[in-house]
Every structure is written in structure tokens, then in C-alpha cells.
Coordinates of all heavy atoms in Angstrom, one line a residue:
D1 N 88.2 157.5 126.4 CA 89.3 157.2 125.5 C 90.1 156.0 126.0 O 90.6 156.0 127.1 CB 90.2 158.4 125.3 CG 91.3 158.2 124.4 OD1 91.4 157.3 123.6 OD2 92.3 159.0 124.5
P2 N 90.2 154.9 125.3 CA 90.9 153.7 125.7 C 92.4 154.0 126.0 O 92.9 153.3 126.9 CB 90.7 152.7 124.6 CG 89.8 153.3 123.6 CD 89.5 154.7 124.0
E3 N 92.9 154.9 125.3 CA 94.4 155.2 125.5 C 94.7 155.6 126.9 O 95.7 155.5 127.4 CB 94.9 156.2 124.5 CG 95.0 155.6 123.1 CD 96.0 154.4 123.0 OE1 97.0 154.4 123.7 OE2 95.7 153.6 122.1
E4 N 93.7 156.3 127.5 CA 93.9 156.8 128.9 C 94.0 155.6 129.9 O 94.6 155.8 131.0 CB 92.7 157.7 129.3 CG 92.6 159.0 128.6 CD 91.4 159.8 129.0 OE1 90.8 159.5 130.0 OE2 91.1 160.8 128.2
F5 N 93.5 154.5 129.5 CA 93.5 153.3 130.4 C 94.7 152.4 130.1 O 95.0 151.4 130.9 CB 92.2 152.5 130.3 CG 91.1 153.1 130.9 CD1 90.2 154.0 130.2 CD2 90.8 152.8 132.2 CE1 89.2 154.6 130.8 CE2 89.7 153.4 132.9 CZ 88.8 154.3 132.1
A6 N 95.4 152.7 129.0 CA 96.6 151.9 128.6 C 97.6 151.7 129.7 O 98.0 150.6 130.0 CB 97.2 152.4 127.4
P7 N 98.0 152.8 130.4 CA 99.0 152.6 131.5 C 98.5 151.6 132.6 O 99.2 150.8 133.1 CB 99.3 153.9 132.0 CG 98.9 154.9 130.9 CD 97.7 154.2 130.2
F8 N 97.2 151.8 133.0 CA 96.6 150.9 134.0 C 96.6 149.5 133.6 O 97.0 148.6 134.3 CB 95.2 151.4 134.4 CG 94.4 150.4 135.2 CD1 94.7 150.2 136.5 CD2 93.4 149.7 134.6 CE1 94.0 149.2 137.2 CE2 92.7 148.7 135.3 CZ 93.0 148.5 136.6
L9 N 96.2 149.3 132.3 CA 96.1 147.9 131.8 C 97.5 147.3 131.7 O 97.6 146.1 132.0 CB 95.4 147.9 130.4 CG 93.9 148.3 130.5 CD1 93.4 148.3 129.1 CD2 93.1 147.3 131.3
R10 N 98.5 148.0 131.3 CA 99.9 147.5 131.3 C 100.3 147.1 132.7 O 100.9 146.0 132.9 CB 100.8 148.5 130.7 CG 100.7 148.6 129.2 CD 101.9 149.4 128.6 NE 101.9 150.8 129.0 CZ 101.3 151.8 128.5 NH1 100.5 151.6 127.4 NH2 101.4 153.0 129.0
Q11 N 100.1 148.0 133.7 CA 100.4 147.7 135.1 C 99.7 146.4 135.5 O 100.3 145.5 136.2 CB 100.1 148.9 136.0 CG 100.5 148.6 137.4 CD 100.1 149.8 138.3 OE1 99.4 150.7 137.9 NE2 100.7 149.8 139.5
L12 N 98.4 146.4 135.3 CA 97.6 145.2 135.6 C 98.2 143.9 135.0 O 98.3 142.9 135.6 CB 96.2 145.4 135.2 CG 95.2 144.2 135.5 CD1 95.1 143.9 137.0 CD2 93.8 144.4 134.9
S13 N 98.5 144.0 133.7 CA 99.0 142.9 133.0 C 100.4 142.4 133.6 O 100.6 141.2 133.8 CB 99.3 143.2 131.5 OG 99.9 142.1 130.9
G14 N 101.2 143.4 134.0 CA 102.5 143.0 134.7 C 102.2 142.3 136.0 O 102.9 141.3 136.3
M15 N 101.2 142.8 136.8 CA 101.0 142.2 138.1 C 100.4 140.8 137.9 O 100.8 139.9 138.6 CB 100.0 143.0 138.8 CG 100.5 144.4 139.3 SD 99.2 145.6 139.8 CE 98.5 144.7 141.1
V16 N 99.6 140.6 136.9 CA 99.0 139.3 136.7 C 100.2 138.3 136.2 O 100.2 137.2 136.5 CB 97.9 139.4 135.6 CG1 97.5 138.0 135.1 CG2 96.7 140.1 136.3
S17 N 101.0 138.8 135.3 CA 102.1 138.1 134.8 C 103.0 137.6 135.9 O 103.6 136.5 135.9 CB 102.9 138.9 133.8 OG 104.1 138.2 133.3
D18 N 103.2 138.5 136.9 CA 104.1 138.2 138.0 C 103.6 136.9 138.8 O 104.4 136.3 139.5 CB 104.3 139.3 139.0 CG 105.1 140.4 138.4 OD1 105.8 140.2 137.4 OD2 105.0 141.6 139.0
T19 N 102.3 136.7 138.7 CA 101.7 135.5 139.5 C 101.4 134.4 138.5 O 100.7 133.5 138.8 CB 100.4 136.0 140.2 OG1 99.4 136.3 139.2 CG2 100.6 137.1 141.1
R20 N 102.0 134.5 137.3 CA 101.8 133.5 136.2 C 100.4 133.3 135.8 O 99.9 132.3 135.5 CB 102.4 132.1 136.7 CG 103.9 132.2 136.8 CD 104.5 130.8 137.0 NE 106.0 130.9 137.1 CZ 106.7 130.9 138.2 NH1 106.0 130.7 139.4 NH2 108.0 130.9 138.2
G21 N 99.6 134.4 135.9 CA 98.2 134.4 135.6 C 98.0 134.8 134.1 O 99.0 135.1 133.4
S22 N 96.8 135.0 133.8 CA 96.4 135.4 132.4 C 95.1 136.3 132.5 O 94.5 136.4 133.6 CB 96.1 134.2 131.5 OG 95.2 133.3 132.1
L23 N 94.8 137.0 131.5 CA 93.6 137.9 131.5 C 92.6 137.6 130.4 O 92.9 137.0 129.4 CB 94.2 139.3 131.3 CG 95.0 139.9 132.4 CD1 95.7 141.2 131.9 CD2 94.1 140.2 133.6
V24 N 91.4 138.0 130.8 CA 90.3 138.0 129.8 C 89.7 139.4 129.8 O 89.5 140.0 130.8 CB 89.2 137.0 130.2 CG1 87.9 137.2 129.3 CG2 89.6 135.6 130.3
F25 N 89.5 140.0 128.6 CA 89.1 141.3 128.5 C 87.6 141.4 128.0 O 87.2 140.6 127.1 CB 89.9 142.1 127.4 CG 89.4 143.4 127.0 CD1 89.6 144.5 127.9 CD2 88.7 143.7 125.8 CE1 89.1 145.8 127.6 CE2 88.3 144.9 125.5 CZ 88.4 146.0 126.4
V26 N 86.8 142.1 128.7 CA 85.4 142.3 128.3 C 85.0 143.8 128.2 O 85.3 144.5 129.2 CB 84.4 141.6 129.3 CG1 83.0 141.8 128.8 CG2 84.8 140.1 129.4
R27 N 84.6 144.2 127.1 CA 84.1 145.6 126.9 C 82.6 145.6 127.0 O 81.9 144.8 126.3 CB 84.5 146.2 125.6 CG 83.8 147.5 125.3 CD 84.6 148.4 124.3 NE 83.8 149.4 123.7 CZ 83.5 150.5 124.3 NH1 83.7 150.7 125.5 NH2 82.8 151.4 123.6
G28 N 82.0 146.3 127.9 CA 80.6 146.4 128.1 C 80.1 147.7 127.7 O 80.7 148.8 127.9
R29 N 79.0 147.7 126.9 CA 78.3 148.9 126.5 C 76.9 148.6 126.1 O 76.6 147.5 125.7 CB 79.1 149.7 125.4 CG 79.2 148.8 124.1 CD 79.6 149.7 122.9 NE 79.8 148.9 121.7 CZ 78.8 148.4 121.0 NH1 77.6 148.6 121.3 NH2 79.1 147.7 119.9
P30 N 76.0 149.6 126.1 CA 74.6 149.4 125.6 C 74.6 149.3 124.1 O 75.6 149.7 123.4 CB 73.9 150.6 126.1 CG 74.9 151.7 126.3 CD 76.2 151.0 126.6
G31 N 73.5 148.8 123.6 CA 73.4 148.8 122.1 C 73.6 147.5 121.4 O 73.6 146.4 122.0
S32 N 73.9 147.6 120.1 CA 74.1 146.5 119.2 C 75.4 145.7 119.6 O 76.3 146.3 120.1 CB 74.2 147.1 117.8 OG 74.7 146.1 116.9
A33 N 75.4 144.5 119.2 CA 76.6 143.6 119.4 C 77.5 143.7 118.2 O 78.5 143.0 118.1 CB 76.2 142.2 119.6
L34 N 77.2 144.6 117.2 CA 78.1 144.8 116.1 C 79.3 145.5 116.6 O 79.2 146.5 117.4 CB 77.4 145.6 115.0 CG 76.3 144.9 114.3 CD1 75.6 145.8 113.3 CD2 76.7 143.6 113.7
L35 N 80.5 145.1 116.2 CA 81.8 145.8 116.6 C 81.8 147.2 116.0 O 81.6 147.4 114.7 CB 83.0 145.0 116.2 CG 83.1 143.6 116.9 CD1 84.3 142.8 116.3 CD2 83.3 143.8 118.4
T36 N 82.3 148.1 116.8 CA 82.5 149.5 116.3 C 84.0 149.8 116.3 O 84.8 149.0 116.8 CB 81.8 150.5 117.2 OG1 82.4 150.5 118.5 CG2 80.3 150.2 117.4
D37 N 84.3 150.9 115.7 CA 85.8 151.3 115.7 C 86.2 151.5 117.1 O 87.3 151.2 117.5 CB 86.0 152.6 114.9 CG 85.8 152.3 113.4 OD1 85.9 151.2 112.9 OD2 85.7 153.3 112.6
G38 N 85.3 152.1 118.0 CA 85.7 152.3 119.4 C 85.9 150.9 120.1 O 86.9 150.8 120.9
D39 N 85.1 149.9 119.8 CA 85.4 148.6 120.3 C 86.7 148.0 119.9 O 87.4 147.5 120.7 CB 84.2 147.6 119.9 CG 82.8 148.1 120.3 OD1 82.7 148.7 121.4 OD2 81.9 147.7 119.6
R40 N 87.0 148.2 118.6 CA 88.3 147.7 118.1 C 89.5 148.4 118.7 O 90.5 147.8 119.0 CB 88.3 147.9 116.6 CG 87.3 146.9 115.8 CD 87.4 147.1 114.4 NE 86.4 146.4 113.7 CZ 85.2 146.9 113.4 NH1 84.9 148.2 113.7 NH2 84.2 146.2 112.8
C41 N 89.3 149.6 119.0 CA 90.4 150.4 119.7 C 90.6 149.9 121.1 O 91.7 149.7 121.5 CB 90.0 151.9 119.7 SG 91.3 153.0 120.3
W42 N 89.5 149.7 121.8 CA 89.6 149.1 123.2 C 90.3 147.7 123.1 O 91.2 147.4 123.9 CB 88.3 148.9 123.8 CG 87.8 150.1 124.5 CD1 86.9 151.0 124.1 CD2 88.2 150.6 125.8 NE1 86.7 152.0 125.0 CE2 87.5 151.8 126.1 CE3 89.0 150.1 126.8 CZ2 87.6 152.5 127.3 CZ3 89.2 150.8 127.9 CH2 88.5 152.0 128.2
H43 N 89.9 146.9 122.1 CA 90.5 145.6 122.0 C 92.0 145.7 121.7 O 92.8 144.9 122.3 CB 89.8 144.8 120.8 CG 90.3 143.5 120.6 ND1 90.4 142.9 119.4 CD2 90.6 142.5 121.5 CE1 90.8 141.7 119.5 NE2 90.9 141.4 120.7
Q44 N 92.4 146.6 120.8 CA 93.8 146.8 120.5 C 94.6 147.2 121.7 O 95.8 146.8 122.0 CB 94.0 147.7 119.4 CG 95.5 147.7 118.9 CD 95.9 146.3 118.4 OE1 95.3 145.7 117.5 NE2 97.0 145.8 118.9
V45 N 94.0 148.1 122.5 CA 94.7 148.6 123.8 C 94.9 147.4 124.7 O 96.0 147.3 125.3 CB 93.9 149.7 124.4 CG1 94.4 150.0 125.8 CG2 94.0 151.0 123.5
A46 N 93.9 146.6 124.8 CA 94.1 145.4 125.7 C 95.1 144.4 125.2 O 95.9 143.9 126.0 CB 92.7 144.6 125.8
I47 N 95.2 144.2 123.9 CA 96.2 143.3 123.3 C 97.6 143.9 123.5 O 98.5 143.1 124.0 CB 96.0 143.2 121.8 CG1 94.7 142.4 121.4 CG2 97.2 142.5 121.1 CD1 94.2 142.4 120.0
D48 N 97.7 145.2 123.3 CA 99.1 145.8 123.5 C 99.5 145.8 124.9 O 100.7 145.5 125.2 CB 99.0 147.3 122.9 CG 98.8 147.3 121.4 OD1 99.0 146.3 120.7 OD2 98.5 148.4 121.0
A49 N 98.5 146.1 125.9 CA 98.9 146.0 127.3 C 99.3 144.6 127.8 O 100.3 144.5 128.6 CB 97.6 146.5 128.1
C50 N 98.6 143.6 127.3 CA 99.0 142.3 127.7 C 100.4 141.9 127.1 O 101.2 141.3 127.8 CB 97.9 141.3 127.2 SG 96.4 141.3 128.3
R51 N 100.6 142.3 125.9 CA 102.0 142.0 125.3 C 103.0 142.8 126.2 O 104.1 142.2 126.5 CB 102.0 142.5 123.9 CG 101.3 141.5 122.9 CD 101.5 141.9 121.5 NE 100.8 141.0 120.7 CZ 100.2 141.3 119.5 NH1 100.2 142.5 119.1 NH2 99.6 140.4 118.8
A52 N 102.8 144.0 126.5 CA 103.8 144.8 127.2 C 104.0 144.3 128.6 O 105.1 144.3 129.1 CB 103.4 146.3 127.2
G53 N 102.9 143.9 129.2 CA 103.0 143.4 130.7 C 103.3 142.0 130.8 O 103.7 141.5 131.9
G54 N 103.2 141.2 129.7 CA 103.6 139.8 129.8 C 102.5 138.8 130.2 O 102.9 137.6 130.3
A55 N 101.3 139.3 130.3 CA 100.3 138.3 130.7 C 99.6 137.9 129.4 O 99.2 138.7 128.6 CB 99.2 139.0 131.6
P56 N 99.3 136.5 129.3 CA 98.6 136.1 128.1 C 97.1 136.6 128.2 O 96.5 136.7 129.2 CB 98.6 134.6 128.3 CG 99.6 134.2 129.2 CD 99.8 135.5 130.1
L57 N 96.6 137.0 127.0 CA 95.2 137.4 126.9 C 94.5 136.2 126.3 O 94.6 135.8 125.2 CB 95.1 138.6 125.9 CG 93.7 139.1 125.6 CD1 93.1 139.6 126.9 CD2 93.7 140.2 124.6
L58 N 93.7 135.5 127.2 CA 93.0 134.3 126.9 C 91.8 134.5 125.9 O 91.5 133.7 125.2 CB 92.6 133.6 128.1 CG 93.7 133.1 129.0 CD1 93.0 132.3 130.2 CD2 94.6 132.2 128.3
G59 N 91.2 135.7 126.0 CA 90.0 136.0 125.2 C 89.6 137.4 125.4 O 90.0 138.1 126.4
A60 N 88.9 137.9 124.5 CA 88.3 139.2 124.5 C 86.9 139.2 124.0 O 86.6 138.6 122.9 CB 89.2 140.2 123.7
F61 N 86.0 139.9 124.7 CA 84.6 139.8 124.4 C 83.9 141.2 124.4 O 84.4 142.1 125.1 CB 83.9 138.9 125.4 CG 84.4 137.5 125.4 CD1 85.5 137.2 126.2 CD2 84.0 136.6 124.5 CE1 86.0 135.9 126.2 CE2 84.5 135.2 124.5 CZ 85.5 134.9 125.4
L62 N 82.9 141.3 123.7 CA 82.0 142.5 123.8 C 80.7 142.1 124.3 O 80.0 141.1 123.8 CB 81.8 143.1 122.3 CG 80.7 144.2 122.3 CD1 81.2 145.5 123.0 CD2 80.5 144.5 120.8
A63 N 80.3 142.7 125.4 CA 79.0 142.4 126.1 C 78.1 143.7 126.0 O 78.5 144.8 126.4 CB 79.2 142.1 127.6
T64 N 77.0 143.5 125.3 CA 76.0 144.6 125.1 C 74.6 144.1 125.6 O 74.4 142.9 125.9 CB 76.0 145.0 123.6 OG1 75.3 144.0 122.9 CG2 77.3 145.2 123.0
S65 N 73.7 145.1 125.5 CA 72.3 144.7 125.9 C 71.7 143.7 124.8 O 70.7 143.1 125.1 CB 71.5 146.0 126.0 OG 71.7 146.8 124.8
A66 N 72.4 143.6 123.7 CA 71.9 142.7 122.6 C 72.5 141.4 122.7 O 72.1 140.4 122.1 CB 72.2 143.3 121.3
G67 N 73.6 141.2 123.5 CA 74.2 139.9 123.6 C 75.7 140.0 123.8 O 76.3 141.1 124.0
V68 N 76.4 138.9 123.8 CA 77.8 138.8 124.0 C 78.5 138.1 122.8 O 78.0 137.1 122.3 CB 78.2 138.0 125.3 CG1 79.7 137.8 125.5 CG2 77.6 138.6 126.5
R69 N 79.6 138.7 122.3 CA 80.3 138.1 121.2 C 81.8 138.2 121.5 O 82.2 139.1 122.2 CB 79.9 138.8 119.9 CG 80.4 140.2 119.9 CD 80.2 140.8 118.5 NE 81.0 140.2 117.5 CZ 81.0 140.4 116.2 NH1 80.1 141.3 115.7 NH2 81.8 139.8 115.4
A70 N 82.5 137.4 120.8 CA 84.0 137.3 121.0 C 84.6 138.3 119.9 O 84.1 138.5 118.8 CB 84.6 136.0 120.7
F71 N 85.7 139.0 120.3 CA 86.4 139.7 119.3 C 87.2 138.7 118.5 O 87.5 137.6 119.0 CB 87.4 140.7 120.1 CG 86.9 141.9 120.6 CD1 86.4 142.0 121.9 CD2 86.8 143.0 119.8 CE1 85.9 143.2 122.4 CE2 86.3 144.2 120.2 CZ 85.8 144.3 121.6
P72 N 87.6 139.1 117.3 CA 88.4 138.2 116.5 C 89.8 138.0 117.3 O 90.2 138.9 117.9 CB 88.6 138.9 115.2 CG 87.6 139.9 115.1 CD 87.2 140.2 116.5
E73 N 90.3 136.8 117.1 CA 91.6 136.6 117.7 C 92.7 137.5 117.1 O 92.7 137.7 115.9 CB 92.1 135.1 117.6 CG 91.2 134.2 118.5 CD 91.8 132.8 118.6 OE1 93.0 132.6 118.6 OE2 91.0 131.9 118.6
A74 N 93.7 137.9 117.9 CA 94.8 138.7 117.4 C 95.7 137.8 116.6 O 95.9 136.6 117.0 CB 95.6 139.3 118.6
W75 N 96.2 138.3 115.5 CA 97.2 137.5 114.7 C 98.5 137.6 115.4 O 99.0 138.7 115.7 CB 97.2 138.1 113.3 CG 96.0 137.8 112.5 CD1 94.8 137.4 112.9 CD2 95.9 137.9 111.1 NE1 94.0 137.3 111.9 CE2 94.7 137.6 110.7 CE3 96.8 138.3 110.1 CZ2 94.1 137.6 109.5 CZ3 96.4 138.3 108.8 CH2 95.1 138.0 108.5
N76 N 99.2 136.5 115.6 CA 100.5 136.4 116.2 C 101.4 135.8 115.1 O 101.1 134.9 114.4 CB 100.5 135.5 117.4 CG 99.7 136.1 118.5 OD1 99.8 137.3 118.8 ND2 98.8 135.4 119.2
D77 N 102.6 136.3 115.1 CA 103.7 135.8 114.2 C 103.2 135.7 112.8 O 103.5 134.7 112.1 CB 104.2 134.4 114.7 CG 104.7 134.5 116.1 OD1 105.4 135.5 116.4 OD2 104.5 133.6 116.9
V78 N 102.5 136.7 112.3 CA 102.1 136.8 110.9 C 103.3 137.2 110.0 O 103.9 138.2 110.3 CB 100.9 137.7 110.7 CG1 100.5 137.8 109.2 CG2 99.7 137.2 111.5
R79 N 103.5 136.4 109.0 CA 104.6 136.7 108.1 C 104.1 136.8 106.7 O 103.3 136.0 106.3 CB 105.7 135.6 108.2 CG 106.4 135.6 109.6 CD 107.5 134.6 109.6 NE 108.1 134.5 110.9 CZ 107.8 133.6 111.9 NH1 107.0 132.6 111.6 NH2 108.4 133.7 113.0
A80 N 104.7 137.7 106.0 CA 104.3 137.8 104.5 C 104.9 136.7 103.8 O 106.0 136.2 104.0 CB 104.8 139.2 104.0
S81 N 104.2 136.2 102.8 CA 104.7 135.1 102.0 C 105.4 135.6 100.8 O 105.4 136.7 100.4 CB 103.6 134.1 101.6 OG 102.6 134.8 101.0

């Protein structure tokens, strides 16, 4: 469950932020390179942890036995028109 790792990821993000660093998130699993709901959940936990900890998330990727692909970029400052 990705939520179990959220506190660790927030702490890691804070530590990285303290050194003016940034993070890249990679979820690895066997199988297809198609994004699953579980993959999306992991991605959201990483986005939230980086926001909470203050470290920029430079990129997020899914690595599988079928290949590597980027997650879609998170929307920032989206406003309704």
C-alpha cells in the first residue's frame, strides 16, 4: 500500500529539500507498461510527499519488464476559467 510509505517519502523529501536537492520517482514492477490505478496511486503519494517535504519532483517513471515510461506531469496552479 503506497500510503504506508507516505511518511517515509515526506521525510525523505524534507531531507532532500534541506540540501536544496530534488527527487526523481521510479515505480518498478513486472508486467505491462500500461499505467494501473495502483501505479497512479504511487505517483500521487510521491507528488504529495514532495509538496509536503519541499523537494521538487523532477520526474516520475514506471519501469516494468516491458519498458520504461514517464508518468504524466502533475498539474500545478490549475485554475478554472
Side-chain angles (χ1 to χ4, degrees):
D1 178 20
E3 289 298 330
E4 293 179 14
F5 287 90
F8 166 74
L9 293 175
R10 283 191 300 271
Q11 181 180 16
L12 176 64
S13 176
M15 292 167 58
V16 169
S17 176
D18 288 346
T19 63
R20 295 190 177 100
S22 54
L23 290 169
V24 173
F25 172 76
V26 180
R27 168 155 163 75
R29 63 164 174 77
S32 166
L34 295 176
L35 294 174
T36 66
D37 289 343
D39 298 330
R40 290 181 191 91
C41 187
W42 275 101
H43 184 218
Q44 190 60 54
V45 166
I47 290 168
D48 294 344
C50 285
R51 284 183 180 151
L57 181 61
L58 295 182
F61 302 89
L62 172 65
T64 73
S65 50
V68 177
R69 67 173 294 173
F71 281 93
E73 288 189 41
W75 290 14
N76 294 316
D77 300 322
V78 176
R79 296 185 181 101
S81 53

